[in-house]
Amino acid sequence: MDLPDTYRAMARIRRFEERLMALKESGEIPGSIHLCNGQEAIPVGACGVLREDDYVSATYRGHGWAIARGVGLAALFAEMMGRDSPISGGRAASPYLSDASRNFIGENSIVGAGVPIAAGAALTAKHRGHGAVSVVSIGDGAMNQGNVHEALNLAAVLDLPMVLVVENNVYSEMSRIEDMVRVHRLSERAAGYGIPGTVVDGNDVDAVTAAMAQAVGRAREGSGPSLVEAMTERLVGHYSGDAQQYRPAGEVAAAKEREPLARIRQAADAELTARLDTIEAEIAAEIDAAVTAARAIPFPDPATVTEHVHA
Amino acid sequence: MPESMRYIQAVNAALTWALDSRDDTVYFGEDVAIPNGPFGATKGLHKRFGAGRIFDTPISETGFLGMALGAAMTGMRPIAEIMYADFAFVAMDQIVNQIANIRYSSGGRWKAPLVIRMQQGYSPGACAQHSHSPEAYFAHTPGLRLALPATADDAYQMLRTAVTVDDPVIVAEARMLYPIAGEVRTDVPVEPMGGARVLREGPDVTVVAWSRMVPAALEAAETLAAEGIRAEVIDLRWLNPLDFETVGASVSKTGRLVVAHEANLTGGFGAEIAARVADECFEDLRSPVARVAAPDVPMPAAPVLQQAVVPEAVHVADTVRRTVHW
Ligand SMILES: Cc1ncc(C[n+]2csc(CCOP(=O)(O)OP(=O)(O)O)c2C)c(N)n1
Ligand SMILES: [Mg+2]
């Protein structure tokens, strides 16, 4: 992707999240939402190097991954509005949605639980032998979940084509990473599994793309899993109701200078700025249309509530 | 003097009391110390008691519940917090294979005086991984004590009891009841463990409930009273130890039983109550025992679907009517 395209992909996620928050505030979104404002370069950089037959898994903070994976915006809005969306039928909402048609194994609202599942998708990919890979994103805090440790070691000993992306936004809910781990870099832990680990600036979409190209390429050629730690910052609360009193004064303001979209804007000349403005206008129209389309999707029929429990 | 507080404030008051009364009580869990707790249950405790008594853990439920057990076995009285009851499933080995077994499997040579605090149940728009009512899993496990407070006063009294007994106790609170205020008796001695409570007397039918279904049962009883059906409402409070005596005595009087819980129907604790009543009150029964519960589906997130599965006062009232008019 060239620059205007990556900007477009990231802006689509940002404006989606912003509109979602507005819809939450106006009462159209029933449950909690966990936004990824500021972290968009990670899913965009990662999904940019993926093939259609690759698998993607994320967390409750996974709207950006869904969008970067090509899941429809209207479907996402509708799911989060509690409507009968074509992806999860209103069963999952914001933190647990998936899209089987996009190989988007989905979000997970149990911290760390997605990693062993992603290892399973990597097992399928390896078994089929077509070079598909399984990419899974978690947060920094999830690195302390036993599940993640077990899955990484499994992936390592089985040489599974899996890439673990750790989005290090330095917070687990309201707790700081320094209080949660004693390593300086989470990627140092990769050595403990005998797999490569790298750290990248997760607000730099090109850096993410390069790191992911390498890790995904390695997995594709059968050399096994890797870990990519992407340093980033949340521009918003942990979830929609988070007043963020635990964040030091000025932290969010400083983060707004470093976030992926601002960074591109800061370096843009007049011509590029004009192009980016056009892109923003197009995205705004895209989001408006998606909300309108989502609102046209009916709520699920309560009579269907017991469907899909079993085959 | 009783004080008026919200359920969640009563939890805070009980925890303050617990940390105050014994130096060997420590409290830990995710976001409980510096951030004051995800729901405010531990507000002010870190400031007051310091990092040696209350601390934040990494997101490692298996690890810190095992740590609670090891500390309890060696002389501490830990209280560990599981943010949502759903996350207890991550640590089920420590709860079921370790914490619950150790006293028995050591022939009473070890004990595990620890408390696991959690909160459970659905809330509007919450997904299947944040809505479980897992009490039946724990009630099924010998060795555990299980408390489900339904009022602010019980949130205070039962948590104090829990930290005092020498068994592992799970205190499963109801998130939906956190904002509800009530009179809390902060000046009474610690209550003994166990005991159901008859909240409303009536000769026609017994309604047994716990957790969020207690206010629902009371509301149903009020509606039914206007129709001339006089329901006796029992808050079961503790599923272990189970006060079946209170339930049995009531059913022997009314001859009818409705059990209400938010958890899924099959294998829910309502089935246990029904079986005990069938066993011990068979001759007194005048109509079949009925259960009010969520159907056997994972909790959907969309409110229109939740409304189709989550039991409320109207469902209790409907079931009582069918039972009485059987
Ligand atoms: C097993 C489990 N424990 C606890 C939680 C509650 N919880 C949800 S998000 C979160 C913090 C996760 O932090 P991190 O992994 O850094 O991801 P981030 O939210 O920062 O993206 C916690 C503790 C959960 N959902 N699942
Ligand atoms: Mg984080």
Side-chain angles (χ1 to χ4, degrees):
Chain A
M1 280 196 271
D2 66 357
L3 175 57
D5 286 337
T6 50
Y7 184 92
R8 182 188 299 276
M10 294 192 295
R12 182 179 288 119
I13 296 170
R14 177 75 55 84
R15 306 312 162 211
F16 177 93
E17 297 287 63
E18 287 170 352
R19 177 64 70 87
L20 193 64
M21 189 63 192
L23 293 169
K24 173 78 202 163
E25 281 165 354
S26 63
E28 232 173 305
I29 307 292
S32 287
I33 49 175
H34 302 76
L35 306 179
C36 68
N37 305 34
Q39 304 186 196
E40 300 87 350
I42 303 166
V44 167
C47 291
V49 304
L50 296 185
R51 298 190 328 210
E52 288 283 301
D53 62 347
D54 291 333
Y55 300 100
V56 175
S57 315
T59 71
Y60 47 87
R61 203 179 302 292
H63 308 161
W65 286 89
I67 294 168
R69 189 56 184 160
V71 179
L73 301 187
L76 291 168
F77 277 127
E79 180 60 33
M80 296 186 220
M81 289 172 175
R83 294 176 184 275
D84 191 8
S85 83
I87 50 174
S88 303
R91 268 71 176 167
S94 165
Y96 192 25
L97 57 83
S98 59
D99 186 351
S101 74
R102 298 293 312 146
N103 273 1
F104 183 54
I105 290 182
E107 301 185 299
N108 206 304
S109 79
I110 296 298
V111 168
V115 186
I117 300 169
L123 181 68
T124 300
K126 186 181 176 191
H127 181 77
R128 295 220 174 117
H130 300 316
V133 303
S134 174
V135 171
V136 52
S137 147
I138 57 170
D140 46 294
M143 283 295 279
N144 302 319
Q145 197 46 273
N147 252 330
V148 174
H149 164 72
E150 294 184 21
L152 272 177
N153 190 57
L154 276 167
V157 294
L158 298 172
D159 295 317
L160 297 181
M162 183 177 93
V163 178
L164 176 65
V165 181
V166 183
E167 300 189 50
N168 188 347
N169 62 10
V170 309
Y171 283 102
S172 311
E173 295 209 341
M174 303 172 267
S175 295
R176 293 224 23 128
I177 185 71
E178 299 82 30
D179 299 327
M180 297 292 124
V181 297
R182 284 284 181 265
V183 282
H184 180 55
R185 291 279 177 224
L186 292 168
S187 51
E188 289 169 23
R189 290 201 191 165
Y193 303 101
I195 65 173
T198 50
V199 55
V200 288
D201 179 349
N203 292 353
D204 177 345
V205 68
D206 295 329
V208 174
T209 303
M212 288 302 294
Q214 201 178 6
V216 167
R218 187 174 187 278
R220 256 196 233 303
E221 70 195 22
S223 303
S226 329
L227 187 161
V228 175
E229 178 182 13
M231 300 306 301
T232 186
E233 289 166 292
R234 269 203 260 118
L235 301 179
V236 293
H238 167 69
Y239 78 109
S240 38
D242 179 2
Q244 301 194 75
Q245 277 147 340
Y246 53 91
R247 294 187 82 166
E251 186 181 80
V252 175
K256 285 185 176 159
E257 298 296 312
R258 299 186 283 256
E259 55 94 351
L261 294 178
R263 208 177 267 216
I264 293 173
R265 288 275 182 178
Q266 284 153 8
D269 59 15
E271 193 207 321
L272 181 58
T273 300
R275 281 177 75 193
L276 300 181
D277 289 345
T278 308
I279 288 172
E280 286 284 5
E282 289 164 3
I283 295 283
E286 200 182 322
I287 301 277
D288 281 344
V291 171
T292 305
R295 286 182 178 142
I297 294 176
F299 290 103
D301 177 359
T304 65
V305 74
T306 55
E307 290 175 8
H308 309 301
V309 178
H310 300 290
Chain B
M1 270 282 290
E3 294 172 46
S4 175
M5 327 180 183
R6 284 180 285 117
Y7 187 122
I8 191 71
Q9 291 172 310
V11 173
N12 183 265
L15 294 177
T16 307
W17 177 90
L19 285 160
D20 239 347
S21 21
R22 295 185 66 130
D23 282 344
D24 51 8
T25 296
V26 288
Y27 191 96
F28 47 87
E30 293 153 15
D31 295 312
V32 300
I34 298 168
N36 283 313
F39 302 95
T42 50
K43 200 168 175 194
L45 299 184
H46 179 255
K47 199 165 166 212
R48 174 155 171 190
F49 295 100
R53 304 288 306 286
I54 172 164
F55 54 89
D56 295 312
T57 64
I59 311 168
S60 309
E61 287 84 3
T62 300
F64 73 73
L65 286 193
M67 189 169 79
L69 174 58
M73 288 169 68
T74 50
M76 306 274 287
R77 308 206 48 112
I79 308 172
E81 175 178 316
I82 297 283
M83 194 185 292
Y84 278 71
D86 311 64
F87 313 155
F89 297 136
V90 173
M92 219 49 177
D93 173 63
Q94 286 297 336
I95 298 174
V96 177
N97 280 323
Q98 314 302 335
I99 290 169
N101 280 346
I102 187 62
R103 177 186 285 275
Y104 184 78
S105 299
S106 66
R109 289 166 186 84
W110 290 108
K111 61 178 178 174
L114 62 90
V115 172
I116 308 173
R117 245 200 85 227
M118 59 181 76
Q119 54 79 24
Q120 67 174 47
Y122 101 108
S123 55
C127 75
Q129 297 171 331
H130 281 66
S131 300
H132 278 102
S133 294
E135 68 268 18
Y137 296 93
F138 303 130
H140 185 67
T141 304
L144 300 176
R145 302 298 193 181
L146 180 53
L148 290 115
T151 64
D153 188 54
D154 266 350
Y156 183 76
Q157 310 302 348
M158 291 165 77
L159 185 50
R160 286 201 311 163
T161 301
V163 301
T164 320
V165 301
D166 273 351
D167 287 326
V169 185
I170 292 178
V171 180
E173 298 156 7
R175 176 168 79 262
M176 288 287 269
L177 302 181
Y178 275 172
I180 297 178
E183 294 291 304
V184 175
R185 297 166 295 136
T186 49
D187 52 352
V188 295
V190 176
E191 291 180 350
M193 177 171 56
R197 191 167 285 150
V198 179
L199 297 180
R200 181 181 176 122
E201 291 188 28
D204 298 332
V205 55
T206 301
V207 179
V208 172
W210 53 90
S211 192
R212 191 186 64 83
M213 291 314 288
V214 171
L218 288 170
E219 189 189 325
E222 198 62 36
T223 309
L224 293 162
E227 301 166 18
I229 298 174
R230 294 154 304 166
E232 180 142 302
V233 177
I234 297 177
D235 177 357
L236 202 54
R237 301 174 72 240
W238 294 83
L239 304 198
N240 190 316
L242 176 64
D243 176 10
F244 186 75
E245 216 170 296
T246 298
V247 175
S250 176
V251 173
S252 295
K253 179 177 80 175
T254 63
R256 299 182 180 97
L257 173 67
V258 171
V259 194
H261 55 66
E262 185 179 308
N264 301 115
L265 183 70
T266 299
F269 199 73
E272 176 61 26
I273 300 292
R276 288 285 294 268
V277 164
D279 191 9
E280 297 180 35
C281 311
F282 183 69
E283 310 253 298
D284 300 317
L285 282 174
R286 294 154 64 186
S287 66
V289 174
R291 289 176 288 162
V292 178
D296 294 335
V297 294
M299 187 62 72
V304 290
L305 295 176
Q306 291 181 324
Q307 283 154 25
V309 297
V310 172
E312 301 287 358
V314 290
H315 305 105
V316 178
D318 281 350
T319 307
V320 167
R321 282 185 202 104
R322 270 190 282 115
T323 303
V324 170
H325 299 304
W326 182 75

